[in-house]
């Protein structure tokens, strides 16, 4: 019962905060939204600040089902599945993330919560790029520097974040449907990091096999 009360209050706090911001999210409003009295709220969390801090920590953990495979097989589709899940999670959290960004200037702790999810997503993307390189999808030719790879990852995550946060209020900027746009983001990213259509070691074996094959004259 205690856990049920806590989760109900945390979810209510998220809804109230998304609508009214830090100052407007009073304990009275939160208690009314949760269907409890203020005494229960203070007994569970101690203070409004403690409740909102906990609520933001939970909300900032962007949950998505898609994950990257241990060994890349189809980078474009794998990235598209992951980016699509990340975009959907951002859209579902859009009101509260916007409110966090609005409050971030006056409350640095809010900024930390607002950036937790995107930072974790960036780390997952970086790990996937390492896998692409390790398994031969990105060559070591030196044409694309590590700094450029990091910049490409930042651009991809920035584009997905901007799309998720602003598509509903900036229709003239985001004119293509979401699936088409996300696939374009992914393709541009893969070209930017120098990803191949197939792993370099597989392509090398194909070239070697073709060069050693014997053509029978007709």
């Amino acid at each position: 019962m205690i856990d049920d009360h806590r989760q109900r209050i945390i979810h209510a706090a998220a809804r109230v905060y998304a609508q009214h911001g830090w100052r407007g999210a009073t304990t009275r409003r939160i208690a009314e939204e949760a269907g409890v009295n203020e005494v229960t709220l203070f007994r569970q969390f101690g203070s409004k600040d403690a409740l909102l801090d906990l609520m933001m920590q939970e909300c900032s953990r962007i949950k998505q089902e898609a994950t990257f495979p241990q060994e890349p097989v189809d980078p474009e589709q794998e990235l598209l599945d992951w980016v699509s899940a990340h975009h959907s999670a951002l859209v579902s959290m859009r009101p509260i993330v916007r409110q966090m960004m609005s409050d971030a200037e006056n409350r640095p702790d809010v900024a930390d919560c607002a950036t937790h999810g995107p930072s974790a997503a960036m780390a997952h993307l970086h790990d996937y790029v390492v896998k692409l390189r390790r398994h031969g999808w990105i060559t070591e030719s030196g044409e694309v520097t590590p700094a450029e790879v990091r910049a490409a990852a930042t651009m991809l995550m920035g584009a997905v974040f901007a799309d998720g946060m602003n598509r509903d209020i900036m229709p003239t900027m985001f004119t293509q449907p979401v699936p088409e746009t996300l696939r374009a983001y992914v393709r541009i990213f893969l070209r930017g990091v120098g990803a191949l259509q197939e792993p370099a070691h597989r392509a090398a074996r194909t070239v070697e096999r073709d060069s050693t094959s014997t053509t029978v004259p007709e």
Side-chain angles (χ1 to χ4, degrees):
M1 182 65 68
I2 292 177
D3 289 343
D4 184 55
H5 272 316
R6 285 179 67 86
Q7 287 304 310
R8 193 195 318 170
I9 294 170
I10 289 172
H11 294 161
R15 293 192 295 271
V16 172
Y17 173 79
Q19 183 175 358
H20 299 285
W22 189 281
R23 290 185 179 179
T26 63
T27 54
R28 176 176 296 181
R29 280 176 170 163
I30 295 171
E32 290 177 352
E33 180 71 20
V36 301
N37 57 49
E38 288 185 81
V39 174
T40 300
L41 188 151
F42 285 114
R43 185 182 297 124
Q44 291 288 330
F45 299 95
S47 67
K48 165 188 164 177
D49 284 2
L51 167 58
L52 292 184
D53 283 340
L54 181 59
M55 176 274 295
M56 289 187 180
Q57 290 173 22
E58 292 202 5
C59 289
S60 66
R61 299 185 181 97
I62 296 178
K63 298 177 177 64
Q64 59 185 56
E65 296 181 359
T67 57
F68 289 120
Q70 288 299 315
E71 180 175 349
V73 176
D74 185 346
E76 182 176 324
Q77 190 60 50
E78 291 160 4
L79 264 172
L80 181 59
D81 290 343
W82 183 82
V83 162
S84 298
H86 183 64
H87 184 273
S88 296
L90 285 170
V91 171
S92 70
M93 296 174 58
R94 183 187 284 155
I96 199 165
V97 172
R98 284 175 175 168
Q99 192 62 63
M100 286 180 178
M101 294 171 67
S102 176
D103 287 336
E105 184 174 351
N106 296 322
R107 298 192 66 89
D109 52 326
V110 174
D112 290 340
C113 287
T115 59
H116 177 84
S119 296
M122 175 65 87
H124 293 158
L125 178 59
H126 176 267
D127 289 344
Y128 184 66
V129 171
V130 171
K131 292 177 183 178
L132 290 177
R133 188 181 299 278
R134 181 182 302 146
H135 292 282
W137 292 93
I138 299 176
T139 65
E140 301 287 351
S141 64
E143 293 180 3
V144 181
T145 67
E148 290 171 338
V149 172
R150 289 193 295 271
T154 300
M155 291 174 66
L156 174 61
M157 296 308 301
V160 174
F161 183 84
D163 193 301
M165 287 295 107
N166 301 313
R167 176 175 283 267
D168 61 327
I169 59 175
M170 304 177 70
T172 58
M173 177 175 289
F174 303 98
T175 58
Q176 298 298 316
V178 171
E180 294 179 19
T181 303
L182 295 183
R183 185 175 291 276
Y185 293 157
V186 166
R187 287 178 173 175
I188 292 170
F189 169 75
L190 290 173
R191 286 201 298 270
V193 299
L196 306 174
Q197 293 297 317
E198 61 178 12
H201 57 80
R202 185 188 304 166
R205 287 200 301 269
T206 301
V207 171
E208 181 180 0
R209 184 175 61 250
D210 292 345
S211 64
T212 57
S213 63
T214 303
T215 302
V216 179
E218 296 183 357

